Amino acid sequence: MRHRYSILFFPLHVIIDFLSLNTAFLSAYWMKFQSLEAVAEAPYASLWWLFNIIWLIEILLLKPYIYPRQLFKSGHLIRQLLLLTFIHMAVIAVCWVAIQGYYYSREQLLVTYILFLSLGAAFRIGGVLFLKEYRARGYNNRRYIIVGYGKLANTIRAFYDAHPEMGFHFCGYFDESTSENARFLQGGYETLLEYTRSNRIDCVYCCMPYMDNERLKSVVENAEILDYQVKILVDFRGFIARSTSVEYHDVLPVLNLSSDLVSDFRVSVFKRAFDIVFALLALILGSPLFLIIAVITRLTSFGPTFYAQERIGKGGKPFKIYKFRSMYVDAEKMGPVLSGGLLDNRITPWGRFMRKTRLDEIPQFYNVLIGDMSVVGPRPERQYFIDQIVEIAPEYRSLLTVKPGITSIGQIKYGYAASIDEMVQRLRYDLLYPKRRSFLFDIWIIAQTLRVMAQGRGK
């Protein structure tokens, strides 16, 4: 039998959780009453049985111990434990009120749950650490092959190579042999099924860009006979939407890559209202400071106070972005050039101070007010640089689905970019924003920006 020990994980998990629950209940009872003599008698015997019955029902209904190896992580397991415990507490509370069991000790109940969470979390963390080490040493591994050779195939292999604790052992690529890929292949389609059977392969990854439906059908039809899993890889990088969903047209599954319009509408309306209020407050309350900055900018170097430049906004729409001028006049007379950081000799001495404290970005609150920008969002770039970025990182296009912002995760974590490569590195941070966009996340980014400004850590 394959993975004869893996089948023990489920009953072992169930047994340990029941032991933890009962140990916590009895320990809390002893801590409260300094004795265990009456715990098996009324009224606590009924409560003890109820604790176990409710936990058993949760296991049967929610099936909390069935998950793929990719989710066998401490954080996921502890969040799941917290959810199960919260449901358990809620049901116990309802039963308590229904039977008017006010004679039960609240302290004993509270301590029971604290001990149970502590024991459950300790078991899960210990189990994850043990399995990571056990699998990293080569035990309890799943053998897998990849059908179809290309970038996508290399990506999934690199993922498992970087995470040996998941216990996936690579056994080879299979594809139609060509002069370009022959040296990388374990075999072709004609040897695939025999290799899978003789080498007891557990999982076959099929890369859809590199294999046709007939060959995929053959792999799927033999999966049950040869006892392996089939997983299909489709390359959605660069265009997958924030709220992907599966729709069924009769029996035909359709992947919907469009974002959730209702959710987006609510977020956009609330975010726009916040932007207007925040921008108005910033412009009104900060007007004395802005006037001082404007005067210093004008007096410390020849040229206008403000600087306007075309940037690309939401949906690829160009707009004029406004800043306090931090460079000498005609700094880009030879064409578009990225800033070389604070040591760039095109930046004025006062401009270096403004960039370190991000004061040069303040006029963009006007852009926020007229709707070109948001307070928080990925930084807008010029079309000249976007064209170069997209060649390296096509996923940049997803940032054009939201309004650009005055500040962003990339601005906090990375700062100003001095080259295309640095812009791509900063992009890695900003790509998090469309997926995690929320009011609380915006507040966190604004707070971090104020900290960077106060510390003068902008670059």
Side-chain angles (χ1 to χ4, degrees):
M1 182 187 294
R2 297 191 194 180
H3 316 297
R4 57 188 181 278
Y5 299 120
S6 295
I7 199 171
L8 299 176
F9 289 165
F10 176 79
L12 183 63
H13 207 155
V14 173
I15 291 169
I16 290 180
D17 271 355
F18 270 107
L19 286 175
S20 299
L21 184 66
N22 286 278
T23 299
F25 187 90
L26 294 173
S27 298
Y29 186 91
W30 183 85
M31 292 170 66
K32 175 62 179 176
F33 302 107
Q34 301 300 307
S35 172
L36 293 177
E37 292 181 3
V39 71
E41 301 174 359
Y44 273 91
S46 300
L47 182 62
W48 191 4
W49 275 103
L50 188 61
F51 258 68
N52 286 275
I53 291 170
I54 292 172
W55 191 260
L56 178 61
I57 292 172
E58 282 192 80
I59 293 173
L60 295 175
L61 293 180
L62 302 179
K63 298 179 174 60
Y65 306 130
I66 300 174
Y67 33 68
R69 291 189 176 204
Q70 292 82 352
L71 291 179
F72 196 76
K73 299 177 181 178
S74 299
H76 173 78
L77 297 178
I78 291 173
R79 285 194 296 271
Q80 188 182 61
L81 174 64
L82 288 170
L83 176 61
L84 291 172
T85 305
F86 177 79
I87 294 172
H88 194 277
M89 292 173 64
V91 176
I92 287 291
V94 171
C95 294
W96 187 30
V97 172
I99 65 174
Q100 296 184 348
Y102 305 118
Y103 37 82
Y104 292 123
S105 168
R106 296 177 180 84
E107 183 181 345
Q108 190 264 345
L109 290 173
L110 177 62
V111 173
T112 296
Y113 285 115
I114 292 174
L115 289 176
F116 174 61
L117 286 172
S118 301
L119 290 171
F123 160 67
R124 284 159 172 78
I125 293 171
V128 168
L129 293 177
F130 169 77
L131 276 178
K132 281 185 176 181
E133 183 63 25
Y134 188 64
R135 287 168 176 167
R137 291 176 181 268
Y139 302 103
N140 190 235
N141 280 336
R142 298 287 176 89
R143 300 165 64 83
Y144 75 99
I145 60 174
I146 301 175
V147 184
Y149 181 78
K151 288 184 178 180
L152 189 60
N154 288 328
T155 299
I156 190 65
R157 182 186 176 182
F159 172 78
Y160 284 126
D161 286 348
H163 297 280
E165 71 279 2
M166 289 186 179
F168 280 78
H169 177 70
F170 178 64
C171 294
Y173 295 109
F174 285 80
D175 202 347
E176 186 173 343
S177 180
T178 66
S179 57
E180 296 179 352
N181 67 15
R183 61 194 179 95
F184 300 107
L185 302 182
Q186 182 69 39
Y189 288 105
E190 66 281 358
T191 63
L192 171 62
L193 295 178
E194 176 57 28
Y195 184 90
T196 302
R197 183 192 61 79
S198 60
N199 289 273
R200 300 175 67 81
I201 298 300
D202 300 292
C203 187
V204 177
Y205 281 92
C206 299
C207 298
M208 286 307 292
Y210 319 125
M211 65 185 299
D212 58 38
N213 286 340
E214 285 302 315
R215 285 169 173 160
L216 174 62
K217 183 180 178 182
S218 175
V219 172
V220 172
E221 286 176 345
N222 286 277
E224 188 171 348
I225 300 171
L226 299 179
D227 190 23
Y228 59 78
Q229 292 181 321
V230 180
K231 298 187 179 182
I232 299 176
L233 294 173
V234 183
D235 194 355
F236 292 122
R237 293 171 297 180
F239 62 88
I240 196 158
R242 184 167 58 89
S243 303
T244 305
S245 60
V246 177
E247 301 172 352
Y248 284 91
H249 296 187
D250 198 2
V251 294
L252 182 66
V254 177
L255 192 62
N256 179 11
L257 300 181
S258 301
S259 58
D260 188 336
L261 295 179
V262 175
S263 175
D264 281 355
F265 177 75
R266 290 173 181 170
V267 170
S268 298
V269 169
F270 188 79
K271 186 175 175 64
R272 180 59 184 151
F274 172 79
D275 284 341
I276 292 173
V277 173
F278 194 94
L280 282 173
L281 288 174
L283 290 171
I284 294 171
L285 299 178
S287 55
L289 174 63
F290 305 158
L291 182 60
I292 293 171
I293 295 172
V295 171
I296 297 175
T297 302
R298 189 61 183 268
L299 294 178
T300 52
S301 64
F302 172 76
T305 301
F306 298 100
Y307 172 70
Q309 187 180 72
E310 185 176 277
R311 297 287 177 96
I312 302 301
K314 182 178 179 180
K317 180 182 177 181
F319 70 96
K320 289 287 186 181
I321 193 173
Y322 297 96
K323 297 185 177 185
F324 283 120
R325 181 177 54 83
S326 60
M327 288 187 173
Y328 293 105
V329 175
D330 296 330
E332 289 192 327
K333 60 183 177 182
M334 303 301 293
V337 180
L338 284 168
S339 169
L342 296 177
L343 298 179
D344 192 330
N345 57 17
R346 298 174 303 160
I347 302 175
T348 67
W350 170 243
R352 287 190 178 88
F353 172 79
M354 286 197 296
R355 286 184 170 226
K356 288 179 68 174
T357 55
R358 304 284 168 83
L359 294 175
D360 60 319
E361 312 281 3
I362 287 175
Q364 289 163 42
F365 282 113
Y366 172 73
N367 288 112
V368 173
L369 209 56
I370 62 176
D372 291 331
M373 294 176 65
S374 180
V375 176
V376 178
R379 288 296 295 167
E381 300 294 348
R382 285 178 275 182
Q383 189 66 56
Y384 176 82
F385 296 119
I386 290 176
D387 293 339
Q388 298 177 64
I389 293 171
V390 168
E391 290 183 7
I392 302 172
E395 57 267 32
Y396 177 85
R397 292 191 184 94
S398 67
L399 295 184
L400 298 178
T401 62
V402 297
K403 277 187 183 180
I406 297 176
T407 187
S408 69
I409 311 174
Q411 281 289 86
I412 296 167
K413 299 291 186 181
Y414 199 89
Y416 295 102
S419 66
I420 295 297
D421 287 339
E422 288 189 2
M423 292 175 83
V424 172
Q425 291 179 43
R426 186 177 67 184
L427 160 74
R428 305 301 177 195
Y429 293 105
D430 282 341
L431 280 172
L432 298 171
Y433 184 73
K435 300 175 183 177
R436 298 178 59 185
R437 190 168 48 144
S438 69
F439 175 71
L440 290 178
F441 193 42
D442 282 6
I443 295 298
W444 180 84
I445 293 174
I446 292 170
Q448 295 301 309
T449 303
L450 293 174
R451 181 172 60 84
V452 170
M453 293 176 65
Q455 294 174 348
R457 293 195 297 105
K459 79 177 186 71

Short mmCIF file of all heavy atoms in Angstrom, two decimals, residues 66-90:
data_model
loop_
_atom_site.label_atom_id
_atom_site.label_comp_id
_atom_site.label_asym_id
_atom_site.label_seq_id
_atom_site.Cartn_x
_atom_site.Cartn_y
_atom_site.Cartn_z
N ILE A 66 -9.23 16.92 6.49
CA ILE A 66 -8.97 16.52 5.10
C ILE A 66 -8.47 17.74 4.34
O ILE A 66 -9.22 18.69 4.11
CB ILE A 66 -10.25 15.95 4.44
CG1 ILE A 66 -10.74 14.73 5.22
CG2 ILE A 66 -9.98 15.59 2.98
CD1 ILE A 66 -12.07 14.19 4.74
N TYR A 67 -7.20 17.73 3.97
CA TYR A 67 -6.61 18.86 3.27
C TYR A 67 -5.38 18.38 2.49
O TYR A 67 -4.74 17.39 2.85
CB TYR A 67 -6.19 19.97 4.24
CG TYR A 67 -5.72 19.49 5.59
CD1 TYR A 67 -4.53 18.78 5.72
CD2 TYR A 67 -6.48 19.71 6.72
CE1 TYR A 67 -4.12 18.31 6.96
CE2 TYR A 67 -6.08 19.24 7.95
CZ TYR A 67 -4.90 18.54 8.07
OH TYR A 67 -4.50 18.07 9.29
N PRO A 68 -5.04 19.07 1.40
CA PRO A 68 -3.84 18.69 0.63
C PRO A 68 -2.58 19.07 1.39
O PRO A 68 -2.61 19.86 2.33
CB PRO A 68 -3.99 19.52 -0.65
CG PRO A 68 -4.81 20.70 -0.25
CD PRO A 68 -5.75 20.19 0.80
N ARG A 69 -1.46 18.51 0.95
CA ARG A 69 -0.19 18.78 1.61
C ARG A 69 0.17 20.27 1.56
O ARG A 69 0.84 20.78 2.45
CB ARG A 69 0.93 17.98 0.96
CG ARG A 69 0.84 16.49 1.21
CD ARG A 69 2.08 15.78 0.74
NE ARG A 69 2.01 14.35 1.08
CZ ARG A 69 3.08 13.58 1.22
NH1 ARG A 69 4.28 14.10 1.03
NH2 ARG A 69 2.96 12.31 1.52
N GLN A 70 -0.25 20.95 0.49
CA GLN A 70 0.10 22.36 0.35
C GLN A 70 -0.49 23.21 1.47
O GLN A 70 -0.02 24.31 1.74
CB GLN A 70 -0.38 22.90 -1.01
CG GLN A 70 0.38 22.32 -2.19
CD GLN A 70 -0.13 20.97 -2.62
OE1 GLN A 70 -0.98 20.37 -1.95
NE2 GLN A 70 0.37 20.45 -3.74
N LEU A 71 -1.58 22.71 2.12
CA LEU A 71 -2.21 23.46 3.20
C LEU A 71 -1.80 22.95 4.58
O LEU A 71 -2.32 23.44 5.58
CB LEU A 71 -3.74 23.40 3.07
CG LEU A 71 -4.34 24.14 1.87
CD1 LEU A 71 -5.84 23.97 1.86
CD2 LEU A 71 -3.96 25.61 1.89
N PHE A 72 -0.89 21.98 4.61
CA PHE A 72 -0.45 21.46 5.91
C PHE A 72 0.62 22.40 6.47
O PHE A 72 1.82 22.12 6.48
CB PHE A 72 0.09 20.04 5.75
CG PHE A 72 0.20 19.30 7.07
CD1 PHE A 72 -0.93 18.79 7.68
CD2 PHE A 72 1.42 19.15 7.70
CE1 PHE A 72 -0.85 18.13 8.88
CE2 PHE A 72 1.52 18.49 8.90
CZ PHE A 72 0.38 17.97 9.50
N LYS A 73 0.15 23.55 6.94
CA LYS A 73 1.02 24.59 7.50
C LYS A 73 0.46 25.02 8.85
O LYS A 73 -0.76 24.97 9.07
CB LYS A 73 1.09 25.79 6.55
CG LYS A 73 1.65 25.46 5.18
CD LYS A 73 1.63 26.68 4.28
CE LYS A 73 2.16 26.34 2.90
NZ LYS A 73 2.11 27.51 1.98
N SER A 74 1.36 25.45 9.71
CA SER A 74 0.94 25.81 11.08
C SER A 74 -0.16 26.86 11.07
O SER A 74 -1.16 26.74 11.79
CB SER A 74 2.15 26.32 11.87
OG SER A 74 3.14 25.33 11.96
N GLY A 75 0.02 27.91 10.28
CA GLY A 75 -0.95 29.01 10.26
C GLY A 75 -2.33 28.53 9.86
O GLY A 75 -3.33 28.87 10.50
N HIS A 76 -2.41 27.74 8.79
CA HIS A 76 -3.71 27.24 8.31
C HIS A 76 -4.35 26.33 9.36
O HIS A 76 -5.55 26.44 9.64
CB HIS A 76 -3.51 26.48 7.01
CG HIS A 76 -4.75 25.79 6.53
ND1 HIS A 76 -5.77 26.45 5.91
CD2 HIS A 76 -5.14 24.48 6.60
CE1 HIS A 76 -6.74 25.61 5.61
NE2 HIS A 76 -6.38 24.40 6.02
N LEU A 77 -3.56 25.44 9.95
CA LEU A 77 -4.10 24.50 10.92
C LEU A 77 -4.60 25.20 12.18
O LEU A 77 -5.63 24.83 12.75
CB LEU A 77 -3.04 23.46 11.29
CG LEU A 77 -2.56 22.55 10.14
CD1 LEU A 77 -1.48 21.61 10.64
CD2 LEU A 77 -3.72 21.78 9.55
N ILE A 78 -3.87 26.22 12.63
CA ILE A 78 -4.29 26.93 13.85
C ILE A 78 -5.54 27.77 13.59
O ILE A 78 -6.44 27.85 14.43
CB ILE A 78 -3.13 27.79 14.38
CG1 ILE A 78 -2.01 26.87 14.93
CG2 ILE A 78 -3.61 28.73 15.50
CD1 ILE A 78 -0.76 27.60 15.33
N ARG A 79 -5.62 28.39 12.41
CA ARG A 79 -6.84 29.14 12.07
C ARG A 79 -8.04 28.20 12.02
O ARG A 79 -9.14 28.55 12.49
CB ARG A 79 -6.67 29.84 10.72
CG ARG A 79 -5.79 31.07 10.77
CD ARG A 79 -5.94 31.90 9.50
NE ARG A 79 -5.46 31.17 8.33
CZ ARG A 79 -4.22 31.19 7.90
NH1 ARG A 79 -3.30 31.89 8.55
NH2 ARG A 79 -3.86 30.50 6.82
N GLN A 80 -7.83 27.01 11.50
CA GLN A 80 -8.90 26.01 11.45
C GLN A 80 -9.30 25.59 12.86
O GLN A 80 -10.50 25.44 13.16
CB GLN A 80 -8.42 24.81 10.64
CG GLN A 80 -9.49 23.78 10.35
CD GLN A 80 -8.91 22.61 9.59
OE1 GLN A 80 -8.03 21.93 10.09
NE2 GLN A 80 -9.39 22.40 8.37
N LEU A 81 -8.31 25.41 13.74
CA LEU A 81 -8.59 25.05 15.13
C LEU A 81 -9.40 26.15 15.84
O LEU A 81 -10.34 25.87 16.58
CB LEU A 81 -7.27 24.81 15.88
CG LEU A 81 -7.37 24.56 17.39
CD1 LEU A 81 -8.14 23.28 17.67
CD2 LEU A 81 -5.98 24.51 18.02
N LEU A 82 -9.03 27.41 15.60
CA LEU A 82 -9.76 28.53 16.20
C LEU A 82 -11.21 28.55 15.74
O LEU A 82 -12.13 28.79 16.54
CB LEU A 82 -9.07 29.85 15.85
CG LEU A 82 -7.72 30.12 16.53
CD1 LEU A 82 -7.05 31.33 15.91
CD2 LEU A 82 -7.93 30.35 18.03
N LEU A 83 -11.43 28.29 14.45
CA LEU A 83 -12.80 28.28 13.91
C LEU A 83 -13.61 27.16 14.55
O LEU A 83 -14.76 27.37 14.99
CB LEU A 83 -12.76 28.10 12.39
CG LEU A 83 -14.12 27.96 11.69
CD1 LEU A 83 -14.97 29.20 11.92
CD2 LEU A 83 -13.95 27.69 10.20
N LEU A 84 -13.04 25.96 14.62
CA LEU A 84 -13.75 24.82 15.22
C LEU A 84 -14.06 25.08 16.69
O LEU A 84 -15.15 24.76 17.17
CB LEU A 84 -12.91 23.55 15.08
CG LEU A 84 -12.72 22.99 13.67
CD1 LEU A 84 -11.71 21.86 13.68
CD2 LEU A 84 -14.05 22.50 13.11
N THR A 85 -13.09 25.66 17.40
CA THR A 85 -13.29 25.94 18.82
C THR A 85 -14.36 27.00 19.03
O THR A 85 -15.19 26.90 19.95
CB THR A 85 -11.97 26.40 19.47
OG1 THR A 85 -10.96 25.41 19.21
CG2 THR A 85 -12.12 26.56 20.98
N PHE A 86 -14.37 28.02 18.16
CA PHE A 86 -15.39 29.06 18.26
C PHE A 86 -16.79 28.47 18.04
O PHE A 86 -17.74 28.80 18.76
CB PHE A 86 -15.12 30.16 17.24
CG PHE A 86 -16.17 31.24 17.21
CD1 PHE A 86 -16.18 32.24 18.18
CD2 PHE A 86 -17.15 31.24 16.23
CE1 PHE A 86 -17.16 33.23 18.18
CE2 PHE A 86 -18.14 32.23 16.22
CZ PHE A 86 -18.13 33.22 17.19
N ILE A 87 -16.93 27.59 17.04
CA ILE A 87 -18.22 26.94 16.79
C ILE A 87 -18.62 26.10 18.00
O ILE A 87 -19.78 26.11 18.43
CB ILE A 87 -18.15 26.07 15.52
CG1 ILE A 87 -17.93 26.96 14.29
CG2 ILE A 87 -19.42 25.24 15.36
CD1 ILE A 87 -17.66 26.19 13.01
N HIS A 88 -17.67 25.38 18.56
CA HIS A 88 -17.92 24.54 19.74
C HIS A 88 -18.40 25.40 20.90
O HIS A 88 -19.39 25.07 21.58
CB HIS A 88 -16.63 23.80 20.11
CG HIS A 88 -16.82 22.68 21.08
ND1 HIS A 88 -16.89 22.88 22.45
CD2 HIS A 88 -16.97 21.34 20.90
CE1 HIS A 88 -17.06 21.73 23.05
NE2 HIS A 88 -17.11 20.77 22.14
N MET A 89 -17.72 26.53 21.14
CA MET A 89 -18.11 27.43 22.22
C MET A 89 -19.52 27.98 22.01
O MET A 89 -20.31 28.08 22.96
CB MET A 89 -17.11 28.59 22.33
CG MET A 89 -15.72 28.20 22.80
SD MET A 89 -14.55 29.58 22.70
CE MET A 89 -15.27 30.73 23.87
N ALA A 90 -19.81 28.33 20.74
CA ALA A 90 -21.14 28.89 20.44
C ALA A 90 -22.25 27.87 20.72
O ALA A 90 -23.29 28.20 21.30
CB ALA A 90 -21.18 29.34 18.98
#
